[in-house]
Amino acid sequence: MHPDNTNESLDFLLAIISHLHRSLACQQLEAIKLYRGQPPLLHALWRQEGLTQKALAEELQISPATLTKMLQRMEKAGFIQRKISSADQRVSLVYLTDAGRLIQSQVIQIFQKMEHEVFADFSLAEQDILRQFLLRIRANLIKATG
């Protein structure tokens, strides 16, 4: 850490970068009527539809209550639908609608555009080095949080 200026500490810079990245993502996603937390849910369903709400909450590492709110919002927007399981009437299975499938290419384009903008002045070698650093930071955070 730089004792003279905490605004240049690595922790502070990482927090600011995360905040700015989230703001940019929110801006871009709002244009297609999505909220920031929704693309991971869509990605999970693009890989495999018909997952239970419990399985989705575990995969996304969010609380069941948070997932329920997200599903309600996405159902209202027309991106997903929930169906009662024929095997167990207490269980809801989550499926994409046609709109949820069609938006996939737009979401991919948004994140590709963001990556291009964020790393515009970085060489491929610098991006590879940064990737290694970020992977180590992620591992350290996982270890620190148990």
Side-chain angles (χ1 to χ4, degrees), residues 13-136:
L13 286 171
L14 186 59
I16 292 297
I17 289 166
S18 294
H19 175 75
L20 290 169
H21 188 273
R22 182 177 179 86
S23 294
L24 179 61
C26 288
Q27 224 175 38
Q28 300 291 318
L29 292 168
E30 282 177 9
I32 59 170
K33 307 282 191 264
L34 283 179
Y35 293 90
R36 179 66 182 104
Q38 294 174 342
L41 173 61
L42 288 171
H43 282 284
L45 293 172
W46 291 329
R47 283 190 305 275
Q48 181 183 350
E49 289 189 65
L51 296 171
T52 65
Q53 290 185 212
K54 181 180 178 185
L56 281 168
E58 288 172 1
E59 181 172 339
L60 300 174
Q61 298 179 359
I62 59 175
S63 73
T66 299
L67 178 69
T68 297
K69 185 112 175 131
M70 186 184 301
L71 291 174
Q72 288 170 343
R73 181 178 260 175
M74 292 183 75
E75 201 166 29
K76 187 176 179 181
F79 294 122
I80 62 106
Q81 61 183 343
R82 291 180 276 184
K83 297 180 183 178
I84 301 298
S85 168
S86 58
D88 186 344
Q89 300 291 308
R90 299 168 296 171
V91 176
S92 288
L93 304 175
V94 183
Y95 294 89
L96 292 165
T97 61
D98 288 341
R101 286 183 199 89
L102 289 173
I103 204 166
Q104 183 176 14
S105 63
Q106 289 176 283
V107 171
I108 290 169
Q109 286 174 3
I110 284 171
F111 283 105
Q112 286 174 341
K113 179 183 177 216
M114 281 181 50
E115 187 163 329
H116 178 75
E117 291 172 347
V118 170
F119 301 107
D121 298 330
F122 288 79
S123 70
L124 290 177
E126 289 171 327
Q127 290 179 46
D128 286 339
I129 291 167
L130 179 58
R131 182 175 291 103
Q132 293 306 311
F133 288 154
L134 292 173
L135 289 170
R136 285 171 45 196

